Amino acid sequence: MTCREAIDVLADYVDGTMPADLAAELERHLAGCDPCRAYLATYRTTRALVSAAAAVEMPDEMKTRLRRFLAAQQRR
Amino acid sequence: MSVEDRDLLARATAGEAGALETLMTRYSARVYRLAYGITRNAADAEEVVQDVFLQIVNKGGGFEGRAALSSWIYRITTNVSLNKRRGKHRELETSLDELLPTYLPDGHRAGERAFLVADWSGTPESELLSGESRRILEAAIDRLPEHYRAVLVLKDVDELSSDEVAEIVGDSVAAVKTRLHRARMALREQLTRRLGAGA
């Protein structure tokens, strides 16, 4: 497996949707490739950061306005 | 769609306040999160949420129920959000191609070794999610094309399967997986360019 082939399949590996035989082949490549290990580590952390950063909360005052808006629409 | 969801939707479209309140309690936060994720603007996201719930109330009675209620609501949210974004902020979005890894003919990655092995993943998450790192991350997300942001939020925040996301965004599973991978790689690249030197 080349670095290109390894990086191409990282999403399935990180998401846990990769077949076991391909995962084993990828892990063999990673064991001997510093750049790909660094790529995987930072790719995985990027995913975690996005999950945290994009998990925005809807402000309470917005929920209140939504309720008012829908109540007004239902009265029409 | 489950019998309970079908009943809930029918009662909400019939104007029953309690049913609408239940729908809002269950879905408004998720609708807002996806709308904000795509539009990247709180005011636009609020308008999307209002529009989505209006569509639920007005069109819910005609919903055929082949998909799960949540998928249907996500699909409306995605469509309304993308429409809201149409023509806006294009200047911020960059081509992803320049942010994807490049390779030598033998399949190894091209570039300076110090950059290729830069690993900032050991930095505490709280540090990465604050200050300059947070600003870099938010700016990088802003620059993603909106279709990529939709997939990113549905997969990495709501943790839906690729099949579910494909149904919601109306694309193939392969296209969803490709978009997700490219989005993550583009964000990783921008973070590494700014954080890698200090790793």
Side-chain angles (χ1 to χ4, degrees):
Chain A
M1 178 179 274
T2 65
C3 298
R4 180 194 286 271
E5 290 164 342
I7 288 175
D8 277 351
V9 296
L10 277 192
D12 281 342
Y13 183 69
V14 166
D15 292 345
T17 55
M18 179 180 275
D21 54 343
L22 184 55
E25 191 182 342
L26 173 62
E27 284 163 4
R28 278 195 298 277
H29 174 85
L30 290 169
C33 183
D34 293 341
C36 282
R37 275 203 306 279
Y39 199 97
L40 170 63
T42 48
Y43 181 96
R44 197 174 253 149
T45 302
T46 299
R47 179 180 182 267
L49 293 177
V50 169
S51 300
V56 294
E57 297 287 333
M58 184 176 180
D60 287 340
E61 64 270 22
M62 216 177 262
K63 289 180 184 168
T64 303
R65 286 199 295 270
L66 176 61
R67 284 193 177 86
R68 270 199 225 115
F69 171 78
L70 290 173
Q73 293 294 323
Q74 286 194 312
R75 282 196 297 272
R76 290 171 83 179
Chain B
M1 183 163 57
S2 70
V3 174
E4 189 206 344
D5 279 347
R6 191 186 294 273
D7 175 59
L8 182 63
L9 191 57
R11 286 190 289 117
T13 54
E16 190 184 307
L20 185 56
E21 179 64 29
T22 302
L23 279 175
M24 278 180 51
T25 303
R26 280 188 197 167
Y27 294 106
S28 63
R30 283 188 264 175
V31 168
Y32 179 76
R33 189 165 58 221
L34 177 57
Y36 183 85
I38 296 172
T39 64
R40 301 290 290 166
N41 177 288
D44 284 350
E46 180 171 10
E47 285 184 18
V48 170
V49 175
Q50 292 184 348
D51 197 355
V52 167
F53 276 89
L54 206 51
Q55 288 200 33
I56 292 171
V57 172
N58 291 338
K59 296 184 181 173
F63 177 51
E64 294 174 4
R66 281 196 292 266
L69 178 60
S70 59
S71 294
W72 182 64
I73 292 175
Y74 276 132
R75 189 158 59 237
I76 296 172
T77 306
T78 302
N79 290 338
V80 174
S81 301
L82 291 175
N83 280 336
K84 171 102 18 215
R85 283 277 304 177
R86 195 151 287 156
K88 281 190 182 178
H89 310 305
R90 291 277 178 197
E91 70 279 6
L92 284 177
E93 294 170 3
T94 52
S95 163
L96 293 195
D97 291 343
E98 65 180 62
L99 299 170
L100 302 180
T102 53
Y103 300 95
L104 301 170
D106 65 0
H108 284 90
R109 275 176 68 207
E112 296 279 338
R113 182 165 174 83
F115 181 75
L116 297 183
V117 298
D119 184 359
W120 43 268
S121 64
T123 309
E125 190 172 295
S126 58
E127 194 177 315
L128 291 169
L129 286 170
S130 61
E132 176 69 359
S133 306
R134 178 62 179 256
R135 198 192 59 71
I136 294 165
L137 176 64
E138 295 288 347
I141 295 173
D142 280 344
R143 287 193 200 98
L144 286 176
E146 58 231 21
H147 286 84
Y148 285 72
R149 286 202 297 268
V151 170
L152 204 60
V153 172
L154 291 166
K155 278 290 289 179
D156 284 351
V157 182
D158 288 309
E159 298 185 332
L160 302 184
S161 70
S162 296
D163 286 355
E164 289 170 308
V165 177
E167 186 187 320
I168 290 164
V169 301
D171 222 326
S172 68
V173 171
V176 163
K177 285 184 165 191
T178 299
R179 218 175 282 164
L180 175 71
H181 189 38
R182 286 168 62 93
R184 289 176 181 165
M185 288 194 292
L187 296 178
R188 191 216 74 93
E189 179 71 19
Q190 291 174 84
L191 287 165
T192 303
R193 285 180 187 177
R194 302 296 293 271
L195 304 174

